């Protein structure tokens, strides 16, 4: 019918009936050829994705040997591809780490995705922190494990520094005799200190995440306070004397400072309030006596 197909032909010399002959064995391989071409295309796609990753990728076989690594792996770990292909965990890791890694690998070969944060070593012997995810995959029809490793050394160091700065912030925040309120850009309280709770009578959990939505706070009461926050978010340090109402309904005169403040990389406002009721009374008494 004129259609084309692929054949595999094997020629073999033979003697038949006393005469030299050529036997031709022909097998149609159209489907197999198409499958091979599709496999080649998938291999190209796999290689493009594999090499395009910024994370270190390691393909592990069923017998827990390295089948393939990408360029990011050679850069992060310091080994060449030829040095690492075919190696096992025990070839480059301390014995204590090997057992845990193999256990994770076995679970992944059974179909379970896993994650691990640990310390590992480069070829140079330098230790660094790494986050590894183990993913079960099929490669050329066989179960394999794809390990995705990310160097988190700087991230962990930054986290440690952040926790230290948070601890310092908390110590200073709670040691202040003035009432402190940290406002976010949505005009919500992010944090208040112990002095705030003593001065205003509100528990921390009652005000965190809220502004002046409580029925006790009228629009007239909220307006000048929110205006201070707005000005500080715009970069201005500002001050006002405002009459405040405690949770029990008593009134005090406060001096409020609002200053621009960066918290966790985002613009916030630190509001500092001081009870000046007694000071104002003393000033008025002094003026009256004069």
């Amino acid at each position: 019918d004129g259609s084309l197909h692929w054949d595999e032909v094997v020629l073999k010399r033979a003697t038949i009936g006393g005469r030299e002959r050529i036997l031709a064995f022909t097998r149609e391989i159209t489907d197999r050829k198409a499958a091979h071409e599709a496999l080649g295309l998938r291999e190209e796609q796999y290689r493009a994705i594999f090499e395009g990753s910024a994370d270190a990728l390691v393909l592990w076989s069923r017998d827990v040997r390295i089948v393939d690594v990408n360029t990011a792996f050679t850069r992060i770990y310091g080994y060449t591809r030829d040095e690492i292909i075919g190696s096992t965990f025990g070839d480059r890791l301390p014995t204590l780490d090997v057992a845990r890694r193999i256990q994770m690998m076995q679970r992944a070969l059974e179909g379970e995705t896993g994650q691990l944060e640990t310390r590992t070593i480069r070829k140079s012997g330098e230790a660094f922190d790494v986050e590894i995810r183990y993913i079960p995959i099929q490669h050329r029809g066989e179960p394999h494990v794809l390990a995705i490793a990310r160097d988190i050394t700087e991230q962990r160091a930054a986290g440690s520094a952040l926790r230290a700065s948070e601890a310092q912030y908390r110590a200073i925040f709670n040691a202040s005799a003035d009432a402190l309120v940290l406002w976010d850009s949505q005009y919500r309280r992010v944090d208040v200190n112990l002095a705030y709770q003593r001065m205003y009578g509100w528990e921390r959990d009652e005000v965190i995440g809220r502004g002046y939505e409580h029925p006790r706070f009228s629009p007239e009461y909220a307006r000048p306070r929110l205006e201070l926050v707005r000005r500080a978010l715009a970069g201005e340090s500002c001050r006002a004397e405002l009459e405040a109402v405690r949770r029990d309904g008593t009134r005090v005169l406060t001096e409020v400072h609002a200053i621009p403040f960066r918290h966790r990389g985002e613009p916030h406002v630190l509001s500092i309030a001081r009870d000046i009721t007694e000071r104002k009374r003393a000033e008025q008494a002094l003026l009256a006596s004069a």
Side-chain angles (χ1 to χ4, degrees), residues 155 176 221 249:
Q155 178 184 326
S176 173
Y221 184 88

Side-chain angles (χ1 to χ4, degrees), residues 5-19:
H5 61 86
W6 285 92
D7 285 346
E8 177 186 75
V9 182
V10 177
L11 302 179
K12 185 177 181 181
R13 188 170 67 178
T15 302
I16 301 176
R19 298 181 60 182

Side-chain angles (χ1 to χ4, degrees), residues 64-75:
V64 196
R65 290 186 178 276
I66 293 178
V67 174
D68 201 0
V69 297
N70 67 347
T71 302
F73 176 92
T74 62
R75 184 183 69 252

Side-chain angles (χ1 to χ4, degrees), residues 53-66:
S53 173
D55 294 328
L57 302 184
V58 186
L59 186 63
W60 292 89
S61 65
R62 189 192 310 213
D63 60 352
V64 196
R65 290 186 178 276
I66 293 178

Side-chain angles (χ1 to χ4, degrees), residues 11-255:
L11 302 179
K12 185 177 181 181
R13 188 170 67 178
T15 302
I16 301 176
R19 298 181 60 182
E20 294 292 320
R21 308 282 187 178
I22 299 293
L23 295 180
F25 302 88
T26 303
R27 177 184 299 169
E28 183 180 349
I29 59 168
T30 306
D31 291 342
R32 192 178 81 188
K33 187 78 172 176
H36 284 175
E37 289 176 352
L39 179 61
L41 180 60
R42 287 198 298 270
E43 289 282 351
E44 289 178 12
Q45 293 171 332
Y46 153 78
R47 179 56 57 187
I49 296 169
F50 200 69
E51 290 298 339
S53 173
D55 294 328
L57 302 184
V58 186
L59 186 63
W60 292 89
S61 65
R62 189 192 310 213
D63 60 352
V64 196
R65 290 186 178 276
I66 293 178
V67 174
D68 201 0
V69 297
N70 67 347
T71 302
F73 176 92
T74 62
R75 184 183 69 252
I76 293 170
Y77 285 82
Y79 293 93
T80 66
R81 191 172 183 275
D82 291 341
E83 288 175 321
I84 206 72
I85 298 300
S87 65
T88 66
F89 284 122
D91 295 330
R92 58 189 176 88
L93 291 176
T95 305
L96 290 176
D97 285 343
V98 170
R100 181 169 57 159
R101 299 286 189 92
I102 290 179
Q103 183 182 36
M104 296 286 291
M105 192 69 64
Q106 293 296 340
R107 289 164 63 181
L109 284 166
E110 293 170 3
E112 181 180 339
T113 299
Q115 184 168 322
L116 175 70
E117 286 191 11
T118 186
R119 294 278 285 176
T120 191
I121 52 175
R122 307 186 205 275
K123 181 183 176 182
S124 64
E126 177 192 1
F128 66 103
D129 296 309
V130 66
E131 176 191 77
I132 307 174
R133 283 179 291 151
Y134 294 101
I135 301 173
I137 68 168
Q138 287 286 315
H139 179 65
R140 296 180 179 177
E142 295 290 331
H144 286 66
V145 175
L146 180 64
I148 306 172
R150 177 171 297 179
D151 185 345
I152 58 170
T153 308
E154 292 184 2
Q155 178 184 326
R156 276 197 169 180
S160 297
L162 178 61
R163 285 190 294 274
S165 64
E166 287 277 355
Q168 292 172 334
Y169 153 79
R170 176 61 54 194
I172 296 170
F173 199 70
N174 280 330
S176 173
D178 294 327
L180 303 183
V181 183
L182 188 62
W183 295 88
D184 65 13
S185 58
Q186 302 301 311
Y187 301 89
R188 296 172 301 201
R189 296 178 184 87
V190 174
D191 204 357
V192 298
N193 68 346
L194 297 174
Y196 172 92
Q197 297 175 66
R198 288 193 300 268
M199 182 184 296
Y200 293 96
W202 296 93
E203 294 296 326
R204 188 174 184 275
D205 292 343
E206 293 178 300
V207 295
I208 295 302
R210 297 177 179 149
Y212 288 103
E213 301 87 2
H214 195 282
R216 187 171 295 183
F217 302 125
S218 67
E220 292 75 20
Y221 184 88
R223 191 176 298 113
R225 290 164 169 80
L226 294 177
E227 177 63 14
L228 287 176
V229 176
R230 185 197 66 76
R231 290 167 60 188
L233 282 170
E236 177 187 355
S237 293
C238 43
R239 169 191 173 280
E241 290 186 4
L242 300 168
E243 186 180 60
V245 180
R246 301 184 197 267
R247 192 173 190 273
D248 62 6
T250 60
R251 296 178 177 272
V252 292
L253 189 61
T254 61
E255 179 181 71

